[in-house]
Amino acid sequence: MIPVAHILTLSAVLFTLGVAGVVIRRNAIIVFMCVELMLNAVNLAFVGFAYGMQSMTGVVVVFFVFVVAAAEAVVGLAIMLQMFRNRATLNLDEINLLKW
Amino acid sequence: MADLFYILAVVTVLGALALVLVPNPVYCALSLVGSFFAMAGIFILLNQEFVAAIEVLIYAGAIMVLFLFVIMLLNLRSGAPFVVRWSLRNVLGVAIVLGILSQLVAVFSAPAAKLGPPGGYPPERLAKEGAVQVVGDLLFTRYVLPFEVISVLLMVAVMGAVLLAKRPSSGEDAAAESAGGNPGQARERP
């Protein structure tokens, strides 16, 4: 039996790496991938709790998180395509205006 | 089995580290795919084959391929602008992030932290019925309303993506079309 605290700690480390990526990186696509990593860390926490508590509710929530992540990826990448068409850059430091 | 968990955990963290530190977006995406595969292995160790399968199918399969498509479509000049430097902002960011990590780990490993009473799905029952069947039963009975709502969300996302990615076709923005038609020579920056 894997200790639940270890699963949750791994989840915390992954989430933190995702936050670090969002803070440090300036490429919009990589920032977006870091957000996906954070969503996955949360999934791991849900599954860890479901494992420790012998429940399945966490797994159902993970299913919903997957759907939300897919929707977010689709819309976000479409926004990024438009952004690149208009500005020819994905550097977040240069994209600082809501209306161009 | 616990050993395998720690090996997979190290692989996952290494993939995530590469995502944060490697300059080239394509390598970042591939390391993230490796991280997702290791995480799918962890899910299998935790008796959740269903989550592991959709992790590989949806995340490593669909979403990351979408990312790679966009990266290659946009033909980013990787390298110099995206190398991680030790600027003041990054140092501050790392400090804040370490604060978040210490908080999370302190909460998760606090001696007072206790899980609630065990639910009705011990590993033997999961092994007998199969995780897929259990999740399907729950999705179509107790969680049927969220399931329908999330399907609406998915449809809205698809429509939004089509609308956003479509090139302007009418004459109202012919100028935008000419500027957007080839990203190589878009308008100059301010």
Side-chain angles (χ1 to χ4, degrees):
Chain A
M1 178 104 181
I2 304 161
V4 177
H6 292 186
I7 303 168
L8 295 180
T9 306
L10 172 63
S11 156
V13 169
L14 288 175
F15 187 87
T16 310
L17 280 171
V19 178
V22 171
V23 173
I24 290 175
R25 303 305 297 259
R26 294 293 95 201
N27 183 335
I29 290 187
I30 295 179
V31 167
F32 209 49
M33 286 195 273
C34 290
V35 173
E36 300 287 330
L37 181 68
M38 287 156 70
L39 283 166
N40 247 287
V42 172
N43 281 345
L44 186 62
F46 272 122
V47 172
F49 275 119
Y51 175 76
M53 300 180 68
Q54 306 189 346
S55 155
M56 287 301 275
T57 310
V59 179
V60 176
V61 177
V62 166
F63 178 80
F64 294 141
V65 173
F66 271 122
V67 178
V68 171
E72 178 222 339
V74 166
V75 175
L77 286 174
I79 290 174
M80 254 167 240
L81 273 176
Q82 269 319 51
M83 213 154 70
F84 191 76
R85 273 186 203 150
N86 286 334
R87 303 289 310 269
T89 180
L90 279 183
N91 189 340
L92 290 178
D93 286 338
E94 294 174 28
I95 303 168
N96 48 12
L97 298 173
L98 275 179
K99 188 168 160 69
W100 175 247
Chain B
M1 191 176 105
D3 293 341
L4 194 53
F5 169 76
Y6 295 112
I7 295 170
L8 287 173
V10 169
V11 174
T12 314
V13 172
L14 284 181
L17 264 180
L19 166 69
V20 176
L21 295 177
V22 173
N24 189 330
V26 178
Y27 294 162
C28 284
L30 290 180
S31 70
L32 190 56
V33 170
S35 184
F36 285 161
F37 267 101
M39 211 184 286
I42 292 175
F43 288 147
I44 288 179
L45 285 184
L46 301 180
N47 304 322
Q48 301 296 349
E49 314 91 73
F50 174 69
V51 181
I54 56 176
E55 170 98 12
V56 171
L57 280 178
I58 296 181
Y59 259 109
I63 294 184
M64 292 319 291
V65 169
L66 201 61
F67 272 102
L68 279 174
F69 263 127
V70 171
I71 291 170
M72 293 179 177
L73 201 63
L74 297 189
N75 192 18
L76 293 174
R77 307 161 305 284
S78 68
F82 295 131
V83 172
V84 178
R85 282 181 301 274
W86 286 107
S87 60
L88 175 65
R89 183 179 65 191
N90 286 355
V91 173
L92 271 179
V94 169
I96 291 170
V97 158
L98 287 179
I100 295 174
L101 177 65
S102 63
Q103 291 285 316
L104 284 175
V105 171
V107 168
F108 283 154
S109 57
K114 278 202 297 281
L115 295 178
Y121 294 94
E124 304 81 48
R125 182 171 172 197
L126 278 187
K128 190 163 133 279
E129 295 186 12
V132 181
Q133 185 185 338
V134 172
V135 173
D137 279 347
L138 281 176
L139 271 183
F140 284 101
T141 53
R142 196 192 306 171
Y143 297 100
V144 68
L145 181 64
F147 182 74
E148 297 296 336
V149 171
I150 210 99
S151 68
V152 174
L153 170 76
L154 209 52
M155 189 186 70
V156 171
V158 170
M159 282 164 28
V162 170
L163 199 68
L164 279 171
K166 199 178 61 158
R167 282 166 193 268
S169 55
S170 55
E172 54 173 327
D173 14 39
E177 170 117 32
S178 64
N182 53 0
Q185 32 171 278
R187 296 168 239 185
E188 69 264 32
R189 293 166 209 152

